[in-house]
Amino acid sequence: MNKFSVMIIDDNEVDRYLLTRHLKKTGIVGKIFEADDGTSAIEFFDSYQSNKQKNPNDFPPVVLFLDVNMPLMDGFEFLDKFTDIRQSIKDQSIVVMMFTSSDNDEEKQRALSYPFVKGFISKSNVNSELLKDKIQSVVVS
């Protein structure tokens, strides 16, 4: 089975650590990139060619797990900027899963209005099986 690379974009170090542990337990995730805010994540994708050279088999990550509430650049600001970046890169298969403690229906609808946002995962309900199912449902092998 192919292992997929993912990226976690979250300002909370504990949440990144816990998500990383759950992702590793799925057995389907290989490389895990991390960014502690939306700005760092945008810079990561702005360095597309450099990252592709450094990680030829793992870049770009297939699934981004994106927190909504972050300083500097929140999840929605990231989605707006990522829309432009996504159009300029050749790989259009990158999908985003919102990973947040918010259960606000308006935020869910707003996030899901982006065509590449494929899910909304609550931090309080996350587990390895849920993640495995979500990743497998959105990744085309």
Side-chain angles (χ1 to χ4, degrees):
M1 171 182 280
N2 289 338
K3 290 200 174 194
F4 305 102
S5 61
V6 301
M7 182 173 197
I8 302 169
I9 307 165
D10 194 320
D11 62 311
N12 187 306
E13 186 176 354
V14 172
D15 287 341
R16 288 195 314 270
Y17 172 77
L18 292 172
L19 181 55
T20 296
R21 288 197 51 185
H22 286 298
L23 287 166
K24 287 180 179 180
K25 286 181 186 178
T26 67
I28 63 169
V29 172
K31 177 86 172 166
I32 300 172
F33 299 97
E34 291 186 20
D36 59 6
D37 62 57
T39 302
S40 298
I42 292 298
E43 290 169 1
F44 178 77
F45 283 101
D46 279 343
S47 301
Y48 189 91
Q49 292 305 324
S50 172
N51 283 316
K52 186 69 174 167
Q53 280 185 315
K54 289 180 199 170
N55 305 284
N57 298 320
D58 298 313
F59 187 85
V62 177
V63 179
L64 309 181
F65 291 91
L66 177 64
D67 188 15
V68 172
N69 298 309
M70 296 181 289
L72 300 180
M73 178 187 293
D74 70 24
F76 292 109
E77 292 169 314
F78 171 85
L79 290 173
D80 289 339
K81 292 193 180 296
F82 188 66
T83 298
D84 297 334
I85 289 173
R86 197 166 180 273
Q87 291 173 356
S88 68
I89 60 178
K90 293 179 175 76
D91 192 333
Q92 296 288 308
S93 63
I94 302 168
V95 298
V96 174
M97 298 289 245
M98 303 307 289
F99 179 67
T100 184
S101 53
S102 172
D103 60 355
N104 181 315
D105 284 335
E106 287 179 26
E107 284 184 351
K108 285 182 185 180
Q109 294 310 312
R110 182 175 173 198
L112 293 171
S113 73
Y114 293 84
F116 51 87
V117 174
K118 301 298 182 186
F120 208 93
I121 299 171
S122 170
K123 289 181 180 182
S124 62
N125 296 330
V126 71
N127 63 59
S128 301
E129 284 303 310
L130 171 72
L131 290 170
K132 185 175 183 176
D133 290 345
K134 291 279 192 181
I135 293 169
Q136 288 177 326
S137 73
V138 298
V139 174
V140 178
S141 342

